[in-house]
Amino acid sequence: MIELREARKVYRSGSGKDEILRGIDLLVEKGEYVAIMGKSGSGKSTLLNLLGALDVLDAGEYELAGKSVHEMRQGRRAALRNEEIGFVFQHFQLIPNLSVYQNVLLPLVYGKKRLGKKRSRVLSLLDEVGLLDKKNQKPARLSGGEKQRVAIARALVNEPGLILADEPTGSLDEETTESVLNLFDRVHKQGTTIMMITHDHDVAKRADRILRLQNGVLI
């Protein structure tokens, strides 16, 4: 599913350059559930941005589902993100003036499915995450856990092969964290590959494998 070979990322500033990722080799099989841990500044978010085709490597190679992402132009990377990848963030990143239904529908707007199929897909996912009765509400009226479940439904709406989650439980209480992690477990059992950044060891233990980043190197 995912293969990185000698992946490097460098950020340049007026005073020089900072190598964030230092020659990472990584293989993640289809259907794996992988947690990524490391201190602040270790390169976790940079790695996730590269895996999500939101940023590009300075050196090395990246293949996702057999496609050479490192060779793609910007437009093709954008299409790949929409077709293959779902994103879940710590602070949800829902659009406040759209309803729950409209937020989940958003990734399908430019898709090829007919409107009826799009509507059916959104309603089915909202039912799965237990929010069908709140489909017309705006995000401001939802709890943190409900917002995160909407974000997960949005990430799944295009039926991606890969979910990338950046601290998805970081702003949730213990009980809500458990309900969100149970949802990730269900998604994983359906065959979706999950890569999750977390600082919480109990959250990381839910994964099949834990990766640790230190100073841009996998240890």
Side-chain angles (χ1 to χ4, degrees):
M1 181 68 180
I2 291 172
E3 187 169 1
L4 287 175
R5 294 183 290 272
E6 275 295 306
R8 296 180 181 274
K9 184 64 186 178
V10 177
Y11 290 123
R12 293 172 174 82
S13 63
S15 58
K17 62 181 183 178
D18 187 11
E19 190 171 24
I20 305 299
L21 298 180
R22 305 166 184 265
I24 287 181
D25 293 313
L26 174 63
L27 181 65
V28 177
E29 300 289 350
K30 179 177 172 56
E32 268 198 278
Y33 187 169
V34 178
I36 305 169
M37 303 192 75
K39 293 181 180 179
S40 178
S42 62
K44 302 186 304 298
S45 293
T46 298
L47 176 60
L48 213 69
N49 286 340
L50 290 167
L51 293 176
L54 294 168
D55 204 349
V56 294
L57 293 173
D58 289 309
E61 299 177 348
Y62 171 30
E63 289 189 8
L64 174 63
K67 302 177 180 72
S68 297
V69 181
H70 59 283
E71 296 178 344
M72 291 180 180
R73 296 180 181 235
Q74 184 174 348
R76 183 66 193 98
R77 291 201 314 274
L80 180 78
R81 287 195 298 272
N82 194 52
E83 295 163 5
E84 300 279 357
I85 305 169
F87 296 90
V88 182
F89 303 97
Q90 178 177 353
H91 298 296
F92 323 124
Q93 299 199 7
L94 303 178
I95 298 177
N97 61 329
L98 297 183
S99 69
V100 165
Y101 173 86
Q102 291 168 327
N103 267 280
V104 178
L105 177 68
L106 202 58
L108 291 176
V109 168
Y110 301 105
K112 297 178 181 178
K113 291 181 179 178
R114 293 180 180 178
L115 182 58
K117 290 186 176 180
K118 292 177 181 179
R119 176 178 172 79
S120 176
R121 175 67 177 159
V122 173
L123 294 178
S124 175
L125 278 171
L126 288 176
D127 188 33
E128 185 176 342
V129 300
L131 292 173
L132 186 58
D133 61 332
K134 299 192 176 184
K135 65 181 184 295
N136 295 320
Q137 291 191 13
K138 299 291 177 63
R141 298 188 62 189
L142 303 179
S143 68
E146 288 170 338
K147 290 176 184 177
Q148 196 59 289
R149 282 186 278 153
V150 173
I152 292 171
R154 181 183 59 188
L156 293 172
V157 74
N158 264 341
E159 301 178 85
L162 173 64
I163 294 291
L164 299 176
D166 192 352
E167 296 282 7
T169 63
S171 58
L172 305 179
D173 61 37
E174 187 174 337
E175 182 178 351
T176 309
T177 290
E178 184 65 20
S179 70
V180 167
L181 290 176
N182 287 339
L183 184 53
F184 274 108
D185 289 343
R186 294 212 308 269
V187 170
H188 175 230
K189 287 177 182 176
Q190 293 167 2
T192 305
T193 307
I194 299 175
M195 299 282 292
M196 178 190 293
I197 287 177
T198 182
H199 67 277
D200 189 322
H201 288 274
D202 289 332
V203 171
K205 288 176 184 176
R206 303 287 281 259
D208 300 324
R209 181 159 54 119
I210 299 174
L211 303 178
R212 298 185 187 276
L213 271 173
Q214 181 174 309
N215 297 323
V217 177
L218 281 176
I219 58 172

